[in-house]
Amino acid sequence: MTFKSMLKSLAAAGLVVFGTATMAVYAQTVAQPTPDNPLGLPDEINIIGDDNPNVRTATAIVNGYVITGTDVDQRVALVTSASKADVSDEELQRLRVQVLRNLIDETLKIQAAEQLEIPVERGQVQQTYDQLAAQNFPDDPARMDEYLRSINSSPAALQRQIEGELAWDNLLRRNVNPFVSVAAEEVNEVLKRLEESRGTEEHRVGEIYLSATTENREAVLQNAQRIVEQLQAGGSFVAYARQFSEASTAAVGGDLGWLRLAQLPPALATAASNMQPGQLVGPIEIPGGFSILYLIDRRQVLTADPRDAVLSLKQISVAFAPGIEQAAAEAKIQEFDTYIKGLRGCADADGAQQAIGATVVSNDQIQARQLPEALQNLVVNLQIGQTTPAFGSIQEGVRVLMLCGRDDPKVANAPTFAVIERQIEEERINRRAQRYLRDLRNDAYIEYN
């Protein structure tokens, strides 16, 4: 039925009133499709009915599978528990809408795997869940269930997310991976460029990618901006990437691994070139959507990084009694400083406890890059037996680090042929995976309640 015939039918029912002149004007002024306006939408539109379609009960039926409000609430709790800042009611509503979209995609992945008779085994889900529990609660993995319920989520909510990720892996292995190939010439060319760029910088980057179309660009942009606000307020980048990123790296918290800036889209490369480790930027518009970047670390290509040195350290610290007077605290700090300057090496350090009541803690297997950034350069420049300047406060205690041993890193070799080949494969798999998910959405029957 054309728009004209639809209007005539409505008019016959008394729902629309118009005349021949009106129809003539409509025929002349209706927008026509153009490259900038592929749907031929008018510049000014009048909303009929509710002008905020996102304010609705957050439930849906996806090809017959019901996503309940409880499902959404429990998944939202997983996200908000990773944020150190309070979430406003407005932000919570946006988060619920995005989580519902994620749950729909997750359901489509699980259903597609079942239809192809490659479903996820329950044992796989439980095994992955148990591994996460052991990582987060190494002393008592059983506390994982208790923790999830304490944040108003549930083990079932996390297990459903795990099932979705495993189902997607099954689908990609069946329908995408076999059709991606990389020629040897491509890999050799990358290896050649790596060798030519020896000594230049490479970056380890985290990304949250949100796809966008011309029609939903503004809504996606607003959602990306809210995610950035939450991350800047202390939210976990890894948690938000797992929940919101549409890239295949979502399962690993958005980690793209080590790469040279030339491997990124130009807009992302420009942004990353000016970032410092620990910095967040975005949203950045790229073809197909928006990206939020987090610079995890950076280093020089094929060059040994001093921060990869494995150190043997002694931490010598003194604590202060609550309510200690400033003069007494300063006197104790001076005593501590004098004692540290008099140490002749690591063998003397253990006597600090008896001499000045200090605490001495040893660690023989710590990488320099594991230290706070402000300490990394200080420590890598120490000689054996030397200490850092004192740092800390009266509230937290004052301490120094003494270097007692160092295994310097070897000069880095170029990545192997297999590693480069896999990196190129993953990039191509990611692009195909996005198209595959889009097709699943287009073919789905989804009812909102």
Side-chain angles (χ1 to χ4, degrees):
M1 178 180 290
T2 66
F3 191 85
K4 289 183 181 180
S5 60
M6 181 177 68
L7 286 177
K8 289 180 179 179
S9 299
L10 293 173
L15 298 176
V16 176
V17 179
F18 60 90
T20 304
T22 305
M23 284 300 298
V25 171
Y26 170 79
Q28 294 172 1
T29 60
V30 66
Q32 299 299 317
T34 66
D36 293 332
N37 186 7
L39 297 181
L41 299 174
D43 293 334
E44 297 183 6
I45 60 174
N46 294 318
I47 301 297
I48 301 173
D50 185 359
D51 65 353
N52 190 354
N54 287 333
V55 179
R56 63 177 80 174
T57 303
T59 58
I61 303 175
V62 183
N63 295 328
Y65 179 88
V66 178
I67 298 174
T68 68
T70 300
D71 294 330
V72 176
D73 291 340
Q74 292 183 346
R75 190 63 63 83
V76 167
L78 287 177
V79 180
T80 55
S81 67
S83 176
K84 299 178 182 178
D86 294 332
V87 180
S88 67
D89 291 341
E90 182 182 6
E91 174 62 21
L92 191 61
Q93 176 59 35
R94 290 193 183 92
L95 184 58
R96 288 175 62 82
V97 171
Q98 181 61 45
V99 164
L100 178 58
R101 292 172 185 157
N102 295 346
L103 287 170
I104 290 171
D105 286 348
E106 190 176 275
T107 301
L108 292 173
K109 295 172 183 177
I110 293 171
Q111 291 174 339
E114 291 172 345
Q115 289 171 359
L116 292 175
E117 299 183 349
I118 48 173
V120 178
E121 300 294 336
R122 182 64 196 171
Q124 290 179 279
V125 176
Q126 188 62 48
Q127 181 181 12
T128 305
Y129 180 85
D130 290 343
Q131 290 172 349
L132 288 173
Q135 291 171 10
N136 288 279
F137 299 94
D139 296 332
D140 184 9
R143 288 181 53 207
M144 183 75 151
D145 292 4
E146 178 185 343
Y147 167 74
L148 291 172
R149 294 189 183 99
S150 72
I151 62 171
N152 296 320
S153 186
S154 72
L158 181 54
Q159 289 168 356
R160 177 72 176 180
Q161 180 176 332
I162 292 170
E163 183 181 5
E165 293 173 355
L166 295 176
W168 192 230
D169 287 342
N170 290 349
L171 289 169
L172 296 184
R173 281 197 298 269
R174 168 73 68 87
N175 289 347
V176 175
N177 297 13
F179 304 101
V180 172
S181 61
V182 179
E185 292 80 4
E186 297 177 87
V187 179
N188 289 328
E189 180 61 27
V190 172
L191 288 170
K192 178 183 176 182
R193 290 199 302 268
L194 268 176
E195 189 60 41
E196 291 172 347
S197 62
R198 181 183 291 270
T200 61
E201 280 195 330
E202 62 180 352
H203 299 67
R204 187 179 176 190
V205 179
E207 179 191 28
I208 297 175
Y209 171 75
L210 304 176
S211 65
T213 63
T214 304
E215 291 75 19
N216 69 358
R217 177 187 178 280
E218 290 304 318
V220 174
L221 175 59
Q222 290 180 14
N223 185 46
Q225 290 169 337
R226 297 299 183 277
I227 291 174
V228 170
E229 291 172 2
Q230 288 297 308
L231 294 174
Q232 290 173 336
S236 166
F237 186 91
V238 170
Y240 273 77
R242 284 177 61 89
Q243 291 292 340
F244 295 113
S245 181
E246 297 176 39
S248 61
T249 55
V252 292
D255 190 350
L256 299 178
W258 288 102
L259 46 79
R260 290 171 296 110
L261 295 185
Q263 297 173 261
L264 293 172
L268 300 186
T270 300
S273 66
N274 298 314
M275 294 174 66
Q276 299 298 320
Q279 186 177 352
L280 180 81
V281 298
I284 303 165
E285 188 163 16
I286 60 174
F290 294 90
S291 284
I292 300 167
L293 291 187
Y294 177 72
L295 184 58
I296 302 171
D297 203 354
R298 64 184 181 190
R299 66 186 182 188
Q300 291 184 319
V301 176
L302 305 183
T303 303
D305 190 332
R307 294 175 302 160
D308 288 328
V310 178
L311 309 176
S312 174
L313 297 173
K314 286 186 182 290
Q315 178 179 263
I316 309 169
S317 61
V318 290
F320 299 88
I324 187 172
E325 294 184 358
Q326 185 69 25
E330 291 177 355
K332 189 170 183 177
I333 293 174
Q334 182 61 47
E335 178 191 23
F336 177 72
D337 185 61
T338 301
Y339 180 82
I340 294 298
K341 289 178 178 178
L343 294 177
R344 293 172 296 176
C346 295
D348 290 348
D350 292 331
Q353 181 172 2
Q354 183 175 357
I356 59 172
T359 300
V360 181
V361 178
S362 300
N363 190 315
D364 294 330
Q365 292 291 321
I366 185 167
Q367 268 193 331
R369 67 170 64 251
Q370 293 177 281
L371 298 171
E373 188 173 357
L375 289 174
Q376 290 179 18
N377 289 334
L378 289 174
V379 171
V380 298
N381 290 317
L382 292 177
Q383 300 298 322
I384 302 299
Q386 290 184 327
T387 63
T388 64
F391 58 93
S393 66
I394 295 175
Q395 292 73 30
E396 299 174 351
V398 174
R399 63 200 71 196
V400 298
L401 295 179
M402 174 177 280
L403 181 64
C404 297
R406 172 169 51 210
D407 292 329
D408 289 318
K410 297 178 181 179
V411 175
N413 296 317
T416 64
F417 184 98
V419 169
I420 295 298
E421 182 180 41
R422 184 56 187 162
Q423 288 176 345
I424 299 174
E425 283 179 346
E426 288 178 349
E427 181 182 346
R428 293 177 180 175
I429 288 170
N430 186 39
R431 289 199 297 266
R432 284 177 174 253
Q434 292 171 16
R435 293 197 294 268
Y436 187 17
L437 182 56
R438 184 177 63 234
D439 292 341
L440 291 179
R441 292 170 182 150
N442 289 338
D443 294 338
Y445 292 95
I446 303 174
E447 302 175 54
Y448 292 96
N449 299 320

